[in-house]
């Protein structure tokens, strides 16, 4: 999805964030571990860190974290319900 008014660089940064969200919500443990560390590490605001990405894109870091955490919990709940239905 294209965001009007973003420079090509910001489009690239937004694509990195979008990919990180997909990886965080995936079922691949290695990706989940890496992106969890990336999303929840505030040690630096250097380029390519999550805080830097949020700052660059004018996003509120706490809101983004809350949204991805809520989505992950929702997905886990759906998976649990699905498994329980199959077992019953």
């Amino acid at each position: 999805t294209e965001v009007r008014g973003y420079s090509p660089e910001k489009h690239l940064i937004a694509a990195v964030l979008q990919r990180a969200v997909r990886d965080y919500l995936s079922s691949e443990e290695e990706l989940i571990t890496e992106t969890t560390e990336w999303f929840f590490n505030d040690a630096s605001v250097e380029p390519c860190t999550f805080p830097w990405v949020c700052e660059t894109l004018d996003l509120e870091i706490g809101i983004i974290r809350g949204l991805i955490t809520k989505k992950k919990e929702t997905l886990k709940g759906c998976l649990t319900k699905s498994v329980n239905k199959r077992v019953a």
Side-chain angles (χ1 to χ4, degrees):
T1 304
E2 187 168 315
V3 180
R4 294 173 193 241
Y6 268 13
S7 67
E9 293 83 5
K10 284 192 177 185
H11 280 286
L12 180 60
I13 294 165
V16 168
L17 177 59
Q18 184 178 30
R19 181 55 196 234
V21 170
R22 269 190 265 141
D23 290 349
Y24 179 73
L25 299 175
S26 77
S27 59
E28 295 182 43
E29 281 302 317
E30 186 175 338
L31 292 176
I32 294 168
T33 300
E34 290 175 6
T35 53
T36 298
E37 185 177 315
W38 188 74
F39 277 119
F40 297 97
N41 183 352
D42 286 333
S44 173
V45 186
E46 293 183 21
C48 299
T49 61
F50 179 63
W52 177 84
V53 166
C54 287
E55 184 176 300
T56 301
L57 298 176
D58 294 323
L59 300 172
E60 178 59 46
I61 195 167
I63 292 173
I64 301 301
R65 281 184 179 148
L67 289 170
I68 62 170
T69 300
K70 184 174 183 173
K71 182 67 173 179
K72 189 162 196 79
E73 290 169 0
T74 300
L75 290 172
K76 280 184 181 180
C78 290
L79 179 61
T80 301
K81 287 178 186 175
S82 176
V83 169
N84 288 340
K85 282 182 183 178
R86 281 189 236 152
V87 171

